[in-house]
Structure formats: structure tokens, C-alpha cells
Amino acid sequence: MGGGTRDPYSERHISIQRQLADLEKLAFVTEGDCDSANSLNSDNLDAGNKQACPLCPKEKFRACNSHKLHRHLQNLHWKVSVEFEGYRMCICHLPCRPVKPNIIGEQISSKMGAHYHCIICSATITRRTDMLGHVRRHVNKGETKSRYIAASAAKPPKEILKEADTDVQVCPNYTVPQKTDSYFNPKMKLNRQLIFCTLAALAKERKPLECLDAFGATGIMGLQWAKHLGNAVKVTINDLNENSVTLIQENCHLNKLKVVVDSKEKEEREDILEEGEENLGNIKVTKMDANVLMHLRSFDFIHLDPFGTSVNYLDSAFRNIRNLGIVSVTSTDISSLYAKAQHVARRHYGCNIVRTEYYKELAARIVVAAVARAAARCNKGIEVLFAVALEHFVLVVVRVLRGPTSADETAKKIQYLIHCQWCEERIFQKDGNMVEENPYRQLPCNCHGSMPGKTAIELGPLWSSSLFNTGFLKRMLSESLHHGLDDIQTLIKTLIFESECTPQFSVHAPSNLNKQEECGVFIKTTDDTTTDSHSAQGKRKSNETTANLVKRQKTDVNTEHPPFYYNIHRHSIKGMNMPKLKKFLCYLSQAGFRVSRTHFDPMGVRTDAPLMQFKSILLKYSTPTYTGGQSEGHVQPASEDTVADRVEMSVNDKAEAGGCRRW
């Protein structure tokens, strides 16, 4: 190429040219240049003035005159080329790409496959659409000539973010998973803080803890564990991607943490640590498939946060988890869990779902049911500590109880749900294997008798027991106050009220932090590093504790919070102004029902009141629209029969307005 500057693509393949004339020049080869042209194409030479195509073997295109060759290059090679930074990657028919021979009878025919040569990474790709996508991925990742050609060129600077006093380097386009190997989502900060408080509460029970972040990416979660919990945890960060492992090691050095790779300590450079400073802890970084790692090693705490569903890793997680250990699962496949892609939920979770007013809690119970089935297959039971479903993720945290008895008790809590599609009343099916003649009789509503056709649908299988553990949530609140995590304190308080199903007035940190009750078992927590019951890592005081847990779970059914919730806007009465949500909670509580708000829906009400009673109280304390809604509360006292009739008429009016609509 002419010019004084060096072309960064000077060592490109002959099928990559700037202009069609440059491609034609390759065909003007004389007999004297035969030796130098052998490197291009040994079959392209022909006698006389005939010229051969530089990108086709002579079996495909014989030598011809220049006019015919020009049409051939333009129509067959140039028109279907892929453009990148002024270059054209033309289609090539030379035997550059190995093609599997076809056996036809007794003859072997080796057909030459057409392909493209990538200008960036020199890969050979057959289809043009695949080549366009291949180049687009290079551009999205920032992989251009600076990475493959100009080795001396400076790399783009990595951005350093700070979260919870932990510094982390991130790659360009770190918020888009398709554009980077190490994905970092700032919107998942709430998720990381919840998991940190969970681990901090577990560290009060026994130490040191073997902790695993199975999908490290940038390593931010494991770095926060090691940096703030110190010697109480032994952190292992794993990732299968080599670039992510390198980034995790760099972030460990950035936070003054030692890296242990393959059981050998990798000492840091002397210039990393300033004078008078010491390493804050050790982190083991592994490059392994998560399923293989969890099969090989035992852990006290495992966190799974893959991109999408985590059902493929649940069996491995419960295979070697220690007794009374904790498994936390973050699922980001909200399109399937929130009933936007119902066929995907059926494929991944084996669950039939529809879009309901309580779809977020439905998603949490789907994930818990999948976790419970995986634990039962390994002869383990679970106790759900809490389940959170927000806009971007569903987080489920469970404690593992070893033994077939716990596994049987857990399996019994997976049931099907009967959901009315007219009024959205719902109830779990009764226990038993006998087929019921009329399952509609289980629903408290009378929609099947008053509406045409089939009015209910069967959803599930779902987790039918409690989603929250009040004692553990109070310990998490204490840890959030201790570590100054203000962002999640409001959420944890809401979870505590939701677990107790009481109206939200005030909450305080537990005064007796050394002794917390969970499901009837008093768990002693202490700051001393020497504890009698959990000093040995492989020995756990499990038999008595597990038996007490199971015994308490059998007798503690009535204290569980009621399943699901009602949306006050969904069940509002037409032509009436609703009372304020706080006052409505007081009205329900005065009527003798358990009631609380829920984190799943800001306008949701969790209560054990049937839907008919819920609507009766809502109508009783609503005001007609024509009065201007100046006063709240009931204007005229109405009898119970009149209220019930008006609620029934309201349900029928909504059903007629909706036609035959089904959720």
C-alpha cells in the first residue's frame, strides 16, 4: 500500500480490499511472477492474456478475458462483501476453510465452501449475516485493530466505581451484558446489600464461614464480604470467563486483598500496599464451571446469580451444602416469572402461571418451589428466610435442613393453587390424593354458579408455606444498622411487618442480639471467635436443632402470614372514593382480620380476610363520588346484607364490562 504510514491491516487476507480495482490488480500476474504469486493462489495462472480470479480455484472459474473477469469479481465477490472501516471483506472460494468431504457412492467429493475472512480476528465465517453479526460483536466489545494489530497502542481506561466502601474496576459498556464479559448492574445494589446482611447474620452463628459467589463477574459481591466481615468468612469467587477472572484479581489488588489461585498464594506487588498498611483478607479466585465447583467443595453459604434462570445450578448447590447453611438464589428471568413468557416458565420451572394481581408473589413462590424440589432430591429440606420480588430480580434465601424427614416436610408444602379468573379469589388445593368431584367448591367466591363457563384455573406447583422468618429478618435489620446500610432498612422493616402480618407503625432493632428465635429454635449469636457449638468446621450441632425445627414447623402453622395479597385499586368500587390505605388497614384490623402492607405491591394489602369481606369493608368506608370525597368513612351505616348485595352487584358489573376476558 502506498503512503508513508504503516497500514494496520497490511497483513490482511487477499479477499479484504479497499476498492474493486485493487482486487482486479491481483489478477494481472505474468509468467515471470509465478513464483511470487504461489502464496496467493497457485491455480490462478493461465497462459496468454487470459486472467484468473484471485479468489476462486480454477475448477470453479477458469481464466478468461479482463471484461468477463471484471463482471465476475463485481457480481460474485464485491456485491456480497461486508464493509468495515473502509475495507471490503469479499467472499472467498479458496480452500482456506476445511470442509467435510461428502461420500457419494464410491467417490469422495470435496466441495469448496464459500466464506469470509474477518479483518479483526482472522476468523472464517460462511454466511454473510453471521459475518455482519460477528463484526458487530467486535465493535460492541470495543475489539478493533487496537486489540489485535497494534499491540503497543494503549488500552481504553477502565472506569472505577465505588459501592459500600469497595472499589471495583469495570469494563466499557459494563451495564450491557451483550457488550462485555464482566457485567455490572448498579440497579442490583439493593440485592447485594440484602445478601450481605444475610451473610453477616449467619456469621454471628458460627465462624469462619466458607462462602461462594458462583458467578463473580467483577467480583463486587465477594469483595464486600471479605472487606467488611474479615476473618469471619473465607470467600471464594468463581467465574468461567477468563477475562472476568483477570478482572476479579485486579479488583482484589485494588482493594488490598490477597488472591489465592489454585491453593497457592499469589503475592501482590510491593507498590500496591502503602507503608503501614496490611492486607485486609484473602480471597480465592477460581476459573471453573459452577456445577463442577459445587460438586467438588462444601460451603456454608452459596450465592447463585447467573444471567437468567438459576434452575440449572440448584442440584449442584444442594449437593454439598453444609447443614444449617444458607443458599441464596437471584433470578433475573422476570419475563417468564412475571407471566410475560408463560411457555418459558413451563419449560424452566414446570409451572403453569397466568398474569394476576399478585404476580410478584407468585413469581417468588415459583422460585421457592423449584429450590424446594432440588433440595428434596438431595434428601434435604429448606426453611425460607425471606423472598423478595422487585422490578429487576427475584431473590430467595433459604436455610438448609439435612435429613429425609425435613425433605418430606418440605415436599408437602408444594401445592397447586386454584385461581378464579373473574374476581381473582384464590386458595391452595386441599391436601390429599383423592380426586374431588367439584373443585370449585374450595373457592370462597360464587363465580362458578353465577358466571358462564369455566371460571377458575389451576396454577402451580407453588410453595404454599411462609415466605419470611421474623427472627432472621430482625437480625438482618440489626446488621444493616451496624454496617450503615441505610438503603435497605426500610425494605427490611416492611418485610418484618409483612412476616408478622401487622400494620406498620414502628420498628426497633432487637434489644437482645445474643439470642434470636427462629421457628422455635433459639440460635445463640456472639461476637467471640471461639464458640463451643460451631468451632469445628465439619461438626454441626444438627440433630437436635433439626428435630426442633421440624417439630415447631408442625405446630406453628397458624402463626404464618396469610398467602398472597389484594390490590386496593383493583377491587375499588365504581363510583366510590376509597379511603386512604393506612386508614383502610386500621378498618380491616378493627374487623378482626390480620393485615399488613406488602413489599410486592405498594398498593397491596396482605390479609386473611376473604375477598367478599375485603370488598364489604372497602365499600362500607368509601364515599360516593358526587359528595366530592371531602370526608372519609361511611356516611350512612348500611346493613351487612345491603353491603354484600352491592359488592355482588359490583363484581357482576365488572364481569359484564370485561366480557369473556380471562387473565
Side-chain angles (χ1 to χ4, degrees), residues 355-417:
R355 185 79 169 191
T356 62
E357 65 171 329
Y358 51 92
Y359 67 94
K360 286 189 176 181
E361 184 172 347
L362 199 67
R365 292 184 180 273
I366 290 172
V367 178
V368 176
V371 172
R373 288 195 298 268
R377 286 192 293 268
C378 300
N379 278 342
K380 296 181 178 69
I382 64 168
E383 173 203 353
V384 182
L385 299 180
F386 66 91
V388 175
L390 298 178
E391 182 181 0
H392 303 285
F393 64 90
V394 176
L395 173 63
V396 170
V397 178
V398 299
R399 187 189 292 274
V400 179
L401 309 175
R402 282 197 171 187
T405 304
S406 301
D408 294 339
E409 292 295 328
T410 298
K412 290 178 182 178
K413 297 178 182 179
I414 302 176
Q415 299 177 358
Y416 284 89
L417 183 76

Side-chain angles (χ1 to χ4, degrees), residues 57 92-103 108-117 124-126:
C92 176
H93 292 272
L94 298 176
C96 310
R97 181 184 179 89
V99 181
K100 186 177 180 180
N102 297 326
I103 301 178
I108 298 178
S109 63
S110 180
K111 184 180 179 181
M112 297 297 176
H115 55 274
Y116 294 88
H117 291 266
T124 55
I125 298 176
T126 55

Side-chain angles (χ1 to χ4, degrees), residues 3-11 149-150:
T5 60
R6 179 181 176 271
D7 186 4
Y9 300 112
S10 59
E11 298 180 358
I149 306 295

Side-chain angles (χ1 to χ4, degrees), residues 235-454:
V235 181
T236 300
I237 305 178
N238 177 72
D239 203 289
L240 189 58
N241 187 276
E242 186 176 356
N243 296 331
S244 297
V245 172
T246 303
L247 185 62
I248 292 171
Q249 295 176 1
E250 294 177 357
N251 288 330
C252 290
H253 297 325
L254 185 64
N255 290 275
K256 300 179 176 59
L257 296 169
K258 283 186 179 181
V259 181
V260 179
V261 182
D262 295 331
S263 301
K264 295 180 181 179
E265 237 179 59
K266 184 178 180 181
E267 296 292 340
E268 304 174 18
R269 297 187 305 269
E270 295 180 357
D271 57 348
I272 293 179
L273 298 178
E274 298 179 2
E275 294 183 0
E277 292 188 357
E278 296 181 356
N279 290 292
L280 300 179
N282 297 338
I283 291 182
K284 186 171 184 178
V285 182
T286 59
K287 179 182 177 295
M288 198 180 301
D289 184 87
N291 283 321
V292 177
L293 178 61
M294 289 185 289
H295 272 286
L296 293 176
R297 292 181 54 191
S298 299
F299 294 96
D300 298 288
F301 182 87
I302 294 177
H303 175 61
L304 300 176
D305 186 10
F307 184 72
T309 181
S310 55
V311 293
N312 300 326
Y313 306 95
L314 294 178
D315 289 332
S316 302
F318 286 99
R319 182 65 60 185
N320 280 334
I321 186 71
R322 293 194 176 103
N323 190 32
L324 298 181
I326 289 181
V327 175
S328 64
V329 179
T330 300
S331 299
T332 54
D333 54 333
I334 57 175
S335 60
S336 60
L337 290 174
Y338 290 173
K340 296 179 182 178
Q342 301 174 12
H343 62 286
V344 181
R346 189 178 298 109
R347 184 171 69 244
H348 287 167
Y349 300 94
C351 184
N352 179 40
I353 58 173
V354 294
R355 185 79 169 191
T356 62
E357 65 171 329
Y358 51 92
Y359 67 94
K360 286 189 176 181
E361 184 172 347
L362 199 67
R365 292 184 180 273
I366 290 172
V367 178
V368 176
V371 172
R373 288 195 298 268
R377 286 192 293 268
C378 300
N379 278 342
K380 296 181 178 69
I382 64 168
E383 173 203 353
V384 182
L385 299 180
F386 66 91
V388 175
L390 298 178
E391 182 181 0
H392 303 285
F393 64 90
V394 176
L395 173 63
V396 170
V397 178
V398 299
R399 187 189 292 274
V400 179
L401 309 175
R402 282 197 171 187
T405 304
S406 301
D408 294 339
E409 292 295 328
T410 298
K412 290 178 182 178
K413 297 178 182 179
I414 302 176
Q415 299 177 358
Y416 284 89
L417 183 76
I418 301 177
H419 168 82
C420 179
Q421 298 186 92
W422 288 105
C423 65
E424 295 216 37
E425 182 63 283
R426 75 294 301 223
I427 190 170
F428 281 105
Q429 283 188 356
K430 296 179 181 178
D431 294 334
N433 299 326
M434 303 303 294
V435 179
E436 189 169 349
E437 182 179 356
N438 186 9
Y440 289 100
R441 286 185 295 186
Q442 298 184 27
L443 284 169
C445 65
N446 193 29
C447 295
H448 180 65
S450 59
M451 300 297 172
K454 299 178 179 179

Side-chain angles (χ1 to χ4, degrees), residues 526-566:
T526 177
D527 293 334
D528 296 336
T529 57
T530 59
T531 56
D532 298 335
S533 59
H534 300 295
S535 58
Q537 197 171 33
K539 297 180 181 179
R540 296 289 182 261
K541 194 176 180 181
S542 59
N543 296 333
E544 183 180 355
T545 305
T546 305
N548 291 337
L549 279 170
V550 175
K551 187 183 298 184
R552 182 63 178 178
Q553 287 172 352
K554 291 181 180 179
T555 60
D556 203 26
V557 177
N558 294 329
T559 61
E560 293 181 356
H561 62 82
F564 301 112
Y565 54 90
Y566 300 108

